[in-house]
Amino acid sequence: MINNVERAVRTRHIKNSVFKWGVIAFTFIAVLPLIFILYYLVQKGVTSITWAFLTHMPKPVGETGGGILNAIVGSAIIIFMACIIAIPFSIAIGVYLSEFPKAGIANWARLSIDMLQGVPSIVIGIVIYEWVVKPMGGFSAISGSIALAIMMIPPIAKATEETLKRVPAGLKEASFSLGASYYQTTMRALLPAAMSGILSGVILSIARISGETAPLLFTSFGNPYLSANITKPMSSIPLLIFNYAISPYDEWQKLAWGASLVLIIFIFLLNIITKIAERKWKVQY
Amino acid sequence: MESAVLNVTVTPKMETKSPDTIANNVILKAEDFCASFGSNQVLKKVNMAITRNHVVAVLGPSGCGKTTFVRCINRMHELAPDATVEGKMIYNGDDVYKMNPVVLRSHIGMVFQRPNPFPSMSTYENVIAGYIFNEIKLTKAQKDEVVETSLKSASLWDEVKDILHKKGTSLSGGQQQRLCIARALAMKPKMLLLDEPTAALDPISTLKIEELLVTLKETYTIVIVTHNIQQAGRVSDKAAFFYLGELIEYDDTKNMFTNPKEERTQNYITGRFG
């Protein structure tokens, strides 16, 4: 009898450690490629990143040096406009979905959001090309922003819905019992309590779209010059990486590596900001 | 200062006061009042009159409609989907269900079972949350005044006066509940509804809130839902016993506890069911 128990304990112990090491091994394997990519990027790109790289325009073929100022400015403008378009929409959708989860239109909205999340970004680019670029008569930064805004809606709306659902019903009741209206309750009691989740949704969606290339190919197109005119083509970091990486010139390929590293650093910073924002706005109920 | 603060609170029109309401000093009266969720009737023809500056305990086993009853007083009941009411609820001579809910709720404050301070706000902001939500502008001095008097009335001032600008949710459970009472008092209500306010609290916090209720009844009329019969005995002037949606007995607490008229009341009070 005792022997049986001992044997069972021993097998259990072996199973435990196999499982534990298995989990660790798989995690490690998953992390490896990321480390290699980062290492490779840093190795290739770090030599190009200087102050001049960030503050100068690209040089013509054959000249050494030059920077990616037009792409940085372009990305900033395009992403900023995408946020202005997407954030109010997405938060409104999230509020609606959490407030009226069973309404007929909510089911359709939820389905559309899930579908939209799975639509390849290049498809969104083509659709915006048909709907915005063609009627406007040419490529423009604003059409790129619209394409990116459409990609931002699902994650922000989801994040808003999920965080609002976790806000206890008691807060809403407390607000109503103080005589607040529905609008005041949403704006002043519910959304502030959900701010941490909404903000992290917003920042992560920015991180996601800032590397998008495909939708921009058909919309903002790219521009070798510095431009702030949103109705004209505009450069952006992913487009610059795409154009320069496939070019036959070593100098341009080097710029592409540098730009890739800049993009990765930007996304890394956004992730850190997300963590800080989550902590700052964190609420306990 | 006091009058300046009072000026900004909303005063309802009260033209039609029936003489009987004033004479009997009745603040709230339910007449054949019924409430339902869809087809499920949870309150059946309740008739009850509440006197000014009394503490009324609402007793009864789970599911007897006591929470629904208090939520009908400040029209929180109607927030639930397919909630309906019938009959009359008269507050100060006005039909509650013809009043503007915002005005009504500024007269009748509510405290809930679980402490629910607004997590994004400091203790200070929580107290004046009603003013913030209703976009009633107060000067800094008026705010300070409201915060201090409300917290003092809720006997919380001494414990939090140095941490007013920390999050309200950083307080202990009992302190949070007194903060919620202060938040309700800040709106200068006439009545206070408490829905099992001590159910989530430890005995010491419970004791503090009970002591507080006794001092508050000098200024306010209080309706408290409680599962705790001893608590009802300690704090209330009158007790209402609900069973299966009906008001079985409504009497002075002492009378009801020593000499209940109904057998069901006696069984409940003595702990034979509930």
Side-chain angles (χ1 to χ4, degrees), chain B:
Chain B
M1 186 83 280
E2 180 72 5
S3 64
V5 173
L6 278 172
N7 276 340
V8 294
T9 57
V10 205
T11 334
K13 299 177 299 187
M14 273 180 268
E15 303 109 1
T16 49
K17 270 198 187 94
S18 62
D20 122 283
T21 350
I22 301 166
N24 295 331
N25 211 4
V26 167
I27 189 166
L28 189 97
K29 205 170 173 187
E31 291 171 0
D32 287 340
F33 194 84
C34 309
S36 318
F37 294 103
S39 59
N40 177 22
Q41 196 177 12
V42 282
L43 281 181
K44 293 163 192 163
K45 297 220 174 219
V46 173
N47 284 290
M48 188 170 164
I50 294 173
T51 312
R52 231 172 270 275
N53 296 32
H54 266 188
V55 177
V56 175
V58 180
L59 298 167
S62 302
C64 69
K66 54 191 190 307
T67 294
T68 306
F69 176 70
V70 295
R71 290 172 66 94
C72 284
I73 297 177
N74 69 343
R75 295 183 56 175
M76 296 293 285
H77 171 65
E78 70 194 38
L79 298 176
D82 11 285
T84 52
V85 295
E86 269 174 67
K88 272 196 169 167
M89 184 77 82
I90 311 288
Y91 165 75
N92 236 340
D94 289 329
D95 187 337
V96 160
Y97 283 83
K98 288 184 183 137
M99 283 174 83
N100 181 336
V102 171
V103 176
L104 174 74
R105 289 176 194 146
S106 76
H107 279 254
I108 306 181
M110 188 165 199
V111 176
F112 299 84
Q113 186 168 350
R114 291 189 62 82
N116 53 4
F118 297 111
S120 54
M121 294 184 178
S122 65
T123 301
Y124 185 94
E125 290 168 319
N126 258 293
V127 178
I128 52 167
Y131 294 92
I132 299 176
F133 288 169
N134 289 301
E135 284 149 18
I136 299 170
K137 295 275 178 293
L138 297 182
T139 64
K140 177 82 174 62
Q142 286 172 331
K143 284 185 197 169
D144 289 346
E145 158 83 14
V146 170
V147 169
E148 187 171 341
T149 45
S150 310
L151 286 173
K152 276 182 176 160
S153 320
S155 49
L156 185 61
W157 174 252
D158 291 330
E159 291 162 62
V160 300
K161 62 174 185 245
D162 300 322
I163 49 166
L164 283 176
H165 295 283
K166 280 196 179 170
K167 288 266 157 72
T169 42
S170 64
L171 302 175
S172 76
Q175 289 174 327
Q176 286 186 25
Q177 194 62 304
R178 277 178 285 148
L179 175 58
C180 293
I181 294 176
R183 179 175 68 187
L185 297 182
M187 298 307 287
K188 311 216 178 291
K190 303 284 179 295
M191 256 183 110
L192 203 54
L193 310 173
L194 300 113
D195 184 4
E196 297 185 46
T198 58
L201 303 183
D202 63 277
I204 292 170
S205 307
T206 301
L207 183 70
K208 280 197 174 153
I209 292 201
E210 286 179 6
E211 286 169 355
L212 175 61
L213 292 182
V214 175
T215 62
L216 286 179
K217 78 169 185 182
E218 287 165 18
T219 331
Y220 309 94
T221 310
I222 296 171
V223 180
I224 176 173
V225 173
T226 180
H227 262 298
N228 184 329
I229 292 158
Q230 286 79 11
Q231 181 172 62
R234 285 190 296 264
V235 301
S236 67
D237 302 299
K238 282 198 155 202
F241 174 64
F242 280 77
Y243 185 62
L244 297 176
E246 284 177 73
L247 177 61
I248 304 294
E249 193 165 345
Y250 179 48
D251 203 349
D252 288 347
T253 308
K254 277 199 189 105
N255 278 349
M256 189 192 278
F257 279 25
T258 50
N259 189 16
K261 289 181 195 69
E262 290 274 336
E263 203 187 334
R264 282 172 292 185
T265 317
Q266 181 169 10
N267 287 346
Y268 181 73
I269 290 170
T270 51
R272 248 167 268 172
F273 73 88

Side-chain angles (χ1 to χ4, degrees), chain A residues 1 10 36 44 54 62 74 80 86 110 114 137 146 159 177 190 194 203 207 209 227 239 258 260 269 278:
Chain A
M1 185 64 197
R10 207 174 305 132
F36 282 136
K44 286 277 197 177
L54 300 174
F80 181 70
R110 212 173 278 119
D114 288 340
I146 295 172
S177 77
L190 301 185
I203 301 174
I209 56 136
S227 160
L239 282 176
S260 306
L269 287 179
E278 271 174 358

